[in-house]
Amino acid sequence: MTTLDLPAAFADSPARALVCRECRHEVPLSPVHVCEQCFAPLEVGYDLDRMRQVTRKSIEAGPHSIWRYAGLLPAGQDLATRVDLGTGMTPLRKANNLGKALGMDNLWVKDDSANPTHSFKDRVVSVALSAARAFGYTTVSCASTGNLANSVAAHATQAGLRAVVFIPNDLEQGKVVQTAVYGQTLVAVEGNYDDVNRLCSEIAENEEWAFVNVNVRPYYAEGSKTLGYEVAEQLGWRLPQQVIIPMASGSLLTKVDKAFRELVTLDLVEASPVKVYGAQATGCSPIATAYENGWDTVRPVKPDTIARSLAIGNPADGPYALDAVRRSGGAMGHVSDAQVVEGIRLLASTEGLFAETAGGVTVATLRQLLERGQIDPTAETVLYNTGDGLKTLDAVAGEVGPTATIAPSYNAFTKTGLA
Ligand SMILES: *Cc1c(COP(=O)(O)O)cnc(C)c1O
Ligand SMILES: [Zn+2]
């Protein structure tokens, strides 16, 4: 494909080319994700002059969604191909109660459970499907640990695209139902996420489909940058001092870090250091384990954790997440499933915020980093909650329930001593 073939829908995109993350080889914008020279992942490269046309004012005048940052994203400038369910601009909540419980002075929670399908995946899917449409695809697909399936099915349906979604057959019922309800094609595969992903790579070679996390992954990944932009804007156009982020493939963490650096380059915020911290569940902690052991490579594991949305045993962006955390002076941690449940309950009982297991992982990891003196309790810190607790009810269903069960009489109630 030459630049002349670039679909018209990309005319106003600030994206310039796809660039290899290792050898820097460049190819024109197209639905590919691997470097033909060295097989490393490709990433979107931008025309900085075009990006510089974006100002705080132009952003603030934009829609109350991720699309206010369209001038900093690779796709979606063209309204005819933009896929928009109103994703983004989720609340940044001051978490004084949780902060107090943890001994922190200045803690915020960025609550991405408020997105249309209740997880951060709506951000990446909005951008991926906008790119897919711009390239002319009519069928979109993905391998998912659950949240991506929900999001792809919903966004494709609204955009008039066909979706074929692949999931491991042992997913939480909430995530299966929340995907199936849109009436798209849902295939449950007898295997774990890494098996599903391998299968999808094979299908991708034979079908003219846009796989959001395979052939259009470079565009997909850029959607996560909006979680960095929004926090900076919501803080009044400045960067936090510390952020703590859950990791599956590691992509989200690397893109939040990239977003902060872009904002500085574009003079949209003043330069100030941001330490980046990564969180995983011990039952699937290939990236945090590499960090702990000082390894540069990530050794694949077989996932076994209730935090299924983070259960990627062979994380594509693991080495880049390690780089980002080490470069920033942050750290990583991993926590047991019991600690994940405690984390969910701590966030709920302090902030009235019910997170899915990934949120529990992040809260519990923050507590661990504090206990180990690896994170500063006085620095302004943003914790990313990436999904809704209603998606993973099973994780806490056995732990909480009614305070009392009584006969419908006043006498029965007084006997409980609850008055
Ligand atoms: C997908 C996901 C993440 C992180 O994904 P990456 O692959 O690391 O980008 C975090 N939280 C939730 C709830 C997710 O679904
Ligand atoms: Zn390369």
Short mmCIF file of all heavy atoms in Angstrom, two decimals, residues 119-121 145-148 175 217 220 224 246-253 287 309-310 312 317 356 358-359 386-388, ligand 1:
data_model
loop_
_atom_site.label_atom_id
_atom_site.label_comp_id
_atom_site.label_asym_id
_atom_site.label_seq_id
_atom_site.Cartn_x
_atom_site.Cartn_y
_atom_site.Cartn_z
N SER A 119 -16.32 -0.42 31.07
CA SER A 119 -14.89 -0.64 31.27
C SER A 119 -14.10 0.32 30.39
O SER A 119 -14.65 0.95 29.47
CB SER A 119 -14.46 -2.07 30.97
OG SER A 119 -14.17 -2.23 29.59
N PHE A 120 -12.80 0.38 30.64
CA PHE A 120 -11.93 1.28 29.87
C PHE A 120 -11.83 0.85 28.41
O PHE A 120 -11.45 1.64 27.55
CB PHE A 120 -10.55 1.34 30.55
CG PHE A 120 -9.45 0.72 29.78
CD1 PHE A 120 -8.75 1.46 28.83
CD2 PHE A 120 -9.12 -0.61 29.95
CE1 PHE A 120 -7.71 0.88 28.10
CE2 PHE A 120 -8.09 -1.18 29.23
CZ PHE A 120 -7.39 -0.43 28.30
N LYS A 121 -12.20 -0.40 28.11
CA LYS A 121 -12.07 -0.91 26.74
C LYS A 121 -12.86 -0.10 25.71
O LYS A 121 -12.55 -0.14 24.52
CB LYS A 121 -12.51 -2.38 26.67
CG LYS A 121 -11.55 -3.37 27.32
CD LYS A 121 -10.19 -3.40 26.64
CE LYS A 121 -9.35 -4.61 27.04
NZ LYS A 121 -9.01 -4.65 28.47
N THR A 145 -10.74 -11.16 26.97
CA THR A 145 -10.90 -11.73 28.30
C THR A 145 -12.24 -11.28 28.90
O THR A 145 -12.49 -11.51 30.06
CB THR A 145 -9.74 -11.30 29.23
OG1 THR A 145 -9.71 -9.87 29.28
CG2 THR A 145 -8.41 -11.82 28.75
N GLY A 146 -13.09 -10.63 28.10
CA GLY A 146 -14.43 -10.29 28.57
C GLY A 146 -14.83 -8.86 28.27
O GLY A 146 -15.79 -8.62 27.54
N ASN A 147 -14.11 -7.91 28.82
CA ASN A 147 -14.51 -6.51 28.63
C ASN A 147 -14.41 -6.07 27.18
O ASN A 147 -15.24 -5.30 26.70
CB ASN A 147 -13.65 -5.59 29.51
CG ASN A 147 -14.01 -5.71 30.96
OD1 ASN A 147 -15.18 -5.90 31.31
ND2 ASN A 147 -13.02 -5.62 31.84
N LEU A 148 -13.40 -6.55 26.48
CA LEU A 148 -13.24 -6.18 25.07
C LEU A 148 -14.41 -6.73 24.27
O LEU A 148 -14.94 -6.07 23.38
CB LEU A 148 -11.90 -6.71 24.55
CG LEU A 148 -11.52 -6.24 23.14
CD1 LEU A 148 -11.38 -4.73 23.09
CD2 LEU A 148 -10.22 -6.91 22.71
N LYS A 175 -20.15 -11.22 31.89
CA LYS A 175 -19.47 -10.75 30.67
C LYS A 175 -19.99 -11.46 29.43
O LYS A 175 -20.05 -10.88 28.35
CB LYS A 175 -17.96 -10.93 30.83
CG LYS A 175 -17.40 -9.89 31.78
CD LYS A 175 -15.91 -9.99 31.99
CE LYS A 175 -15.48 -8.90 32.97
NZ LYS A 175 -14.14 -9.10 33.50
N ARG A 217 -4.40 -3.32 15.81
CA ARG A 217 -3.93 -3.04 17.17
C ARG A 217 -3.19 -1.71 17.33
O ARG A 217 -3.34 -1.04 18.36
CB ARG A 217 -3.05 -4.20 17.66
CG ARG A 217 -2.63 -4.03 19.13
CD ARG A 217 -1.91 -5.25 19.69
NE ARG A 217 -1.43 -5.02 21.04
CZ ARG A 217 -2.12 -5.24 22.15
NH1 ARG A 217 -3.35 -5.72 22.07
NH2 ARG A 217 -1.62 -5.00 23.32
N TYR A 220 -5.95 0.76 17.86
CA TYR A 220 -6.61 0.38 19.12
C TYR A 220 -5.82 0.91 20.32
O TYR A 220 -6.36 1.59 21.19
CB TYR A 220 -6.68 -1.16 19.13
CG TYR A 220 -6.84 -1.89 20.43
CD1 TYR A 220 -8.09 -2.33 20.85
CD2 TYR A 220 -5.73 -2.21 21.22
CE1 TYR A 220 -8.24 -3.04 22.03
CE2 TYR A 220 -5.86 -2.93 22.40
CZ TYR A 220 -7.12 -3.33 22.80
OH TYR A 220 -7.26 -4.01 23.97
N SER A 224 -6.05 4.28 24.40
CA SER A 224 -5.74 4.35 25.83
C SER A 224 -5.10 5.68 26.23
O SER A 224 -5.10 6.04 27.40
CB SER A 224 -4.78 3.21 26.22
OG SER A 224 -5.42 1.97 26.14
N PRO A 246 -3.64 -0.94 36.31
CA PRO A 246 -3.64 -2.40 36.17
C PRO A 246 -3.08 -2.81 34.80
O PRO A 246 -3.22 -2.08 33.83
CB PRO A 246 -5.13 -2.76 36.27
CG PRO A 246 -5.86 -1.55 35.79
CD PRO A 246 -5.00 -0.37 36.18
N MET A 247 -2.45 -3.98 34.75
CA MET A 247 -1.82 -4.43 33.51
C MET A 247 -2.34 -5.80 33.09
O MET A 247 -2.34 -6.73 33.90
CB MET A 247 -0.30 -4.54 33.69
CG MET A 247 0.38 -3.24 34.09
SD MET A 247 2.19 -3.42 34.20
CE MET A 247 2.35 -4.52 35.61
N ALA A 248 -2.74 -5.90 31.82
CA ALA A 248 -3.03 -7.19 31.19
C ALA A 248 -1.92 -7.42 30.16
O ALA A 248 -0.90 -8.03 30.45
CB ALA A 248 -4.42 -7.20 30.58
N SER A 249 -2.10 -6.84 28.95
CA SER A 249 -1.01 -6.89 27.97
C SER A 249 0.07 -5.86 28.31
O SER A 249 1.17 -5.92 27.78
CB SER A 249 -1.54 -6.60 26.57
OG SER A 249 -1.89 -5.23 26.45
N GLY A 250 -0.28 -4.88 29.16
CA GLY A 250 0.65 -3.80 29.49
C GLY A 250 0.46 -2.56 28.63
O GLY A 250 1.07 -1.52 28.85
N SER A 251 -0.42 -2.66 27.63
CA SER A 251 -0.59 -1.57 26.67
C SER A 251 -1.11 -0.29 27.33
O SER A 251 -0.57 0.79 27.13
CB SER A 251 -1.54 -2.01 25.56
OG SER A 251 -1.80 -0.96 24.68
N LEU A 252 -2.18 -0.42 28.12
CA LEU A 252 -2.77 0.75 28.78
C LEU A 252 -1.71 1.56 29.53
O LEU A 252 -1.63 2.78 29.40
CB LEU A 252 -3.88 0.30 29.73
CG LEU A 252 -4.42 1.34 30.71
CD1 LEU A 252 -5.04 2.51 29.97
CD2 LEU A 252 -5.44 0.70 31.66
N LEU A 253 -0.89 0.88 30.30
CA LEU A 253 0.13 1.57 31.09
C LEU A 253 1.08 2.37 30.18
O LEU A 253 1.37 3.54 30.43
CB LEU A 253 0.90 0.58 31.96
CG LEU A 253 1.97 1.20 32.86
CD1 LEU A 253 2.04 0.47 34.21
CD2 LEU A 253 3.35 1.19 32.20
N ILE A 287 4.44 -9.64 34.07
CA ILE A 287 5.18 -8.37 33.95
C ILE A 287 5.73 -7.96 35.32
O ILE A 287 6.91 -7.61 35.46
CB ILE A 287 4.29 -7.24 33.37
CG1 ILE A 287 3.50 -7.73 32.14
CG2 ILE A 287 5.15 -6.04 32.99
CD1 ILE A 287 2.53 -6.71 31.55
N SER A 309 -10.02 -10.27 33.64
CA SER A 309 -9.81 -9.21 32.65
C SER A 309 -8.33 -8.87 32.50
O SER A 309 -7.93 -8.24 31.53
CB SER A 309 -10.62 -7.96 33.00
OG SER A 309 -10.27 -7.51 34.29
N LEU A 310 -7.52 -9.30 33.47
CA LEU A 310 -6.07 -9.04 33.39
C LEU A 310 -5.29 -10.32 33.08
O LEU A 310 -4.06 -10.32 33.12
CB LEU A 310 -5.57 -8.45 34.73
CG LEU A 310 -6.24 -7.17 35.20
CD1 LEU A 310 -5.63 -6.71 36.52
CD2 LEU A 310 -6.13 -6.06 34.15
N ILE A 312 -3.75 -12.22 30.96
CA ILE A 312 -3.00 -12.45 29.73
C ILE A 312 -1.64 -13.00 30.14
O ILE A 312 -0.83 -12.29 30.75
CB ILE A 312 -2.87 -11.17 28.88
CG1 ILE A 312 -4.26 -10.69 28.45
CG2 ILE A 312 -1.97 -11.42 27.67
CD1 ILE A 312 -4.24 -9.49 27.50
N ASP A 317 2.80 -6.21 25.38
CA ASP A 317 3.49 -4.95 25.68
C ASP A 317 4.27 -5.00 26.99
O ASP A 317 4.70 -3.96 27.49
CB ASP A 317 2.47 -3.81 25.70
CG ASP A 317 1.92 -3.54 24.31
OD1 ASP A 317 2.58 -2.83 23.55
OD2 ASP A 317 0.86 -4.11 23.97
N GLU A 356 -14.69 -3.82 39.45
CA GLU A 356 -14.47 -5.23 39.10
C GLU A 356 -13.11 -5.67 39.66
O GLU A 356 -12.38 -4.89 40.28
CB GLU A 356 -14.56 -5.41 37.59
CG GLU A 356 -13.36 -4.93 36.80
CD GLU A 356 -13.02 -5.86 35.63
OE1 GLU A 356 -13.57 -5.67 34.53
OE2 GLU A 356 -12.19 -6.77 35.82
N ALA A 358 -10.26 -6.13 38.42
CA ALA A 358 -9.07 -5.34 38.03
C ALA A 358 -8.88 -4.15 38.97
O ALA A 358 -7.75 -3.79 39.33
CB ALA A 358 -9.19 -4.87 36.58
N GLY A 359 -10.00 -3.53 39.38
CA GLY A 359 -9.92 -2.42 40.34
C GLY A 359 -9.43 -2.91 41.69
O GLY A 359 -8.66 -2.22 42.37
N THR A 386 -10.60 0.47 36.19
CA THR A 386 -10.88 0.26 34.77
C THR A 386 -12.16 -0.51 34.46
O THR A 386 -12.50 -0.68 33.29
CB THR A 386 -9.68 -0.45 34.12
OG1 THR A 386 -9.32 -1.57 34.96
CG2 THR A 386 -8.50 0.47 33.98
N GLY A 387 -12.88 -0.99 35.51
CA GLY A 387 -14.10 -1.74 35.19
C GLY A 387 -15.07 -1.81 36.36
O GLY A 387 -14.71 -1.56 37.52
N ASP A 388 -16.29 -2.18 36.06
CA ASP A 388 -17.44 -2.13 36.97
C ASP A 388 -17.61 -3.45 37.73
O ASP A 388 -17.55 -4.53 37.13
CB ASP A 388 -18.69 -1.87 36.11
CG ASP A 388 -19.90 -1.49 36.93
OD1 ASP A 388 -20.10 -2.07 38.02
OD2 ASP A 388 -20.66 -0.63 36.46
C1 LIG B 1 -8.06 -4.80 29.26
C2 LIG B 1 -8.14 -4.29 30.65
C3 LIG B 1 -7.04 -3.67 31.29
C4 LIG B 1 -5.64 -3.47 30.75
O1 LIG B 1 -5.37 -3.92 29.53
P1 LIG B 1 -3.96 -3.83 28.78
O2 LIG B 1 -3.98 -5.05 27.93
O3 LIG B 1 -2.88 -3.86 29.80
O4 LIG B 1 -3.99 -2.59 28.00
C5 LIG B 1 -7.24 -3.18 32.55
N1 LIG B 1 -8.42 -3.29 33.18
C6 LIG B 1 -9.49 -3.86 32.61
C7 LIG B 1 -10.76 -3.96 33.38
C8 LIG B 1 -9.39 -4.38 31.31
O5 LIG B 1 -10.47 -4.95 30.76
#
